[in-house]
Amino acid sequence: MFELVTGGAASGKSEYAEGLLGNLKRGKYYIATMESDSPKSAERIMRHRHLRDGKGFETIERPCDFVGLNLPAEAKGALVECVTNLLANEMFTGERCGAEKRVVKGIERLKKQVDNLVVVTGEVGNDGGGYDEFTEDYIIALAKVNRELAGMADRVTEVVVGIPVRVK
């Protein structure tokens, strides 16, 4: 089962996504993509770590290069948190050209390694624009990635103010 979970900032999508793998007692991996480059991001990382305390996840810090990610053979489920960071890392710290394809290919590869895959993504750029060229490129790339992942997913859920709404 592959479920894509989307929603706005602080919508509750991470907590919902973690619950989807709650029945797995072992072989459960949390693949964290956020890099700590500011006090605010460090605080967010700590909040997410606290949220998953005691839930049995083994954390893998992986800010990019999912194409090269190999999970252990005992892996039963994986949660990717979050495509928005993964794509930004691929676009702005690596080679911009082909970042979308690398992200999608990496998720496809990960899907083949586990029975249960939950991927968190986000909705950005819905406020009407006024962004610089690089940000506009990122927003368009994220929309393309989200569309491709939604097409691959068995289920797509949008979390709105903490309420999961099944889209597919």
Side-chain angles (χ1 to χ4, degrees):
M1 174 64 68
F2 170 24
E3 183 160 349
L4 181 67
V5 178
T6 189
S11 63
K13 60 188 176 284
S14 298
E15 187 175 359
Y16 170 77
E18 290 169 12
L20 292 173
L21 295 178
N23 63 334
L24 294 178
K25 300 302 177 210
R26 35 188 125 130
K28 185 166 45 173
Y29 291 84
Y30 185 104
I31 306 167
T33 62
M34 181 178 253
E35 293 185 292
S36 179
D37 59 359
S38 70
K40 189 173 184 175
S41 63
E43 180 182 314
R44 190 168 180 177
I45 289 168
M46 290 307 296
R47 184 176 67 80
H48 279 237
R49 284 183 183 154
H50 179 70
L51 278 174
R52 66 183 183 266
D53 272 351
K55 294 183 180 177
F57 285 100
E58 184 169 332
T59 300
I60 297 172
E61 303 284 344
R62 191 75 176 210
C64 56
D65 186 29
F66 272 39
V67 173
L69 178 59
N70 293 306
L71 294 177
E74 68 271 7
K76 303 287 183 234
L79 185 146
V80 175
E81 173 70 49
C82 168
V83 169
T84 57
N85 291 320
L86 176 60
L87 180 63
N89 296 339
E90 288 282 355
M91 285 182 74
F92 300 118
T93 60
E95 186 179 321
R96 285 182 72 187
C97 184
E100 300 155 40
K101 289 181 182 176
R102 288 192 304 274
V103 169
V104 171
K105 187 172 183 164
I107 298 294
E108 283 177 322
R109 216 173 154 276
L110 193 57
K111 182 182 173 194
K112 294 175 184 173
Q113 296 179 53
V114 292
D115 295 330
N116 299 290
L117 177 63
V118 178
V119 176
V120 177
T121 191
E123 301 297 325
V124 298
N126 293 338
D127 59 356
Y131 299 108
D132 61 62
E133 179 184 346
F134 291 113
T135 304
E136 288 286 345
D137 289 349
Y138 168 77
I139 290 168
I140 291 167
L142 180 62
K144 289 177 182 177
V145 168
N146 284 346
R147 274 197 317 267
E148 284 205 49
L149 294 179
M152 291 169 34
D154 299 301
R155 293 192 310 214
V156 178
T157 301
E158 180 178 10
V159 180
V160 182
V161 295
I163 301 166
V165 179
R166 180 75 38 87
V167 178
K168 174 184 173 185

